[in-house]
Amino acid sequence: MELSNYVKGKKIIFGITGGIAAYKAANCVSALRRAGAEVYVVMTKNAIEFITPITMKTLSEHNVITDMFSDEGYVTHISLTEIADLFIVAPATANCIAKLRAGIADDMLSTMLLAYNKEILLVPSMNDNMFNNPATVENIQVLSNRNINFVFPETGKLATGKVGKGRFPEIDKILLKIVELIFIKPLINSISNNKFDIFKDIISKNSFLVTAGATREYIDPVRYISNGSSGKMGFGFMNAITSLGGNLKVITANYTDTRIDWFSPIKVGTTLELKDRLMENLNNIDWLIMAAAPSDYRIKESYDSKIKKTSEELNLTFIKNPDILQEIRKNNKQLNILGFAAETDELEKNGKEKLEKKKLNAICLNKVYKDEKGFNQDKNEIIFINKENFITKIELIDKEIVAYLVLYYLFKDKIG
Ligand code: CTP
């Protein structure tokens, strides 16, 4: 994704509190600045024990605010909080979260947070016992209810060497959340009559199974036929669903978009394996989002050992793979299904036929050109059709954004 398309010229207050992950904030500030955002760093007294203000000043190209009573600090906290598009605190310590919940303003950062009335994003990072402490759990719950946004810590090795939940998340995950708050939320509000929060609430009450990637049909132990699907569109859905609080399960065939690893996918190789794993994992799923590109055919008799180049010609016979969606539909009448189709011609006509034949709830169609637009690309342009015959076009935009828009159209009637 070209981050600058979404954050260029935006004003972001970047708060840093005193946690070992403070140094990771530097990468985040640097990425935002490179993308053309104006970043104003505010650091607590403890944060400057972990990373120096001079580092943050160099990266952000603005003076760093650390002191409440300097001339600069005094005026900035009022004027900045009025003009900033987003206020992020990363890392946010248990102490910072507790103070915001209680309305305590005893230093520059907490004072500015209290004075700020637009989007706040907190990235908690702390020892796992502190994160799981009922006080922290309750503070986060209360702040979520007040529409404060979070990117939660990941499970991994902590500063103490122990493995637990508390590790600072991937920078890309934080940047995607920033794009959601700065760009996607206003976009969806503009097309939905300000219903983004209702949309988010509905997504958080649903369970999704997303498939992605290209299956491989083996010819012999080292060769296979496959297609160029990268898994990027599927990743877009995984990110949007989890970011909006939805429940997510992922099954993937081969993919090149390694961000899919964030979601600990169940991995499969062939179309038949994909079908089997899907069948086993449909319990309690409300929506199946079938972004995977299964192969329609497999080799009739694949070779057990590597084929040697002894003959001048090699003929392979293919047999048809099952149509997974049709098979699933037979025994899952209540399941909601979103299908995809890459077409070269007559998009709407072919799309409507597939929607009916596979008894889908909705379908996303994208035109494939000889240069493979739509396949293994960052951006996608699609036509969305649902079974009530609502048709809309999503213009060429990054797949991460397409996913949010498609989710919105899937739930449009429920959102009202
Ligand atoms: N699909 C499936 N099982 C297959 C092939 C495709 O479930 N064996 C799913 C895809 O994941 C996608 C949808 O069906 O969500 C449409 O896939 P597409 O390849 O466009 O359609 P096909 O039914 O294979 O039709 P054709 O290739 O003939 O256009």
Side-chain angles (χ1 to χ4, degrees), residues 271 290 292 294-296 322-325 339-343 354 358:
T271 297
M290 188 71 175
S295 172
D296 289 332
D323 187 301
I324 302 176
L325 288 182
F340 291 78
E343 302 284 341
K354 276 186 193 167
K358 301 186 188 224

Side-chain angles (χ1 to χ4, degrees), residues 155-171:
T155 303
K157 208 165 175 192
L158 305 174
T160 54
K162 179 177 151 194
V163 173
K165 193 171 170 138
R167 218 172 69 144
F168 197 74
E170 298 276 348
I171 304 290

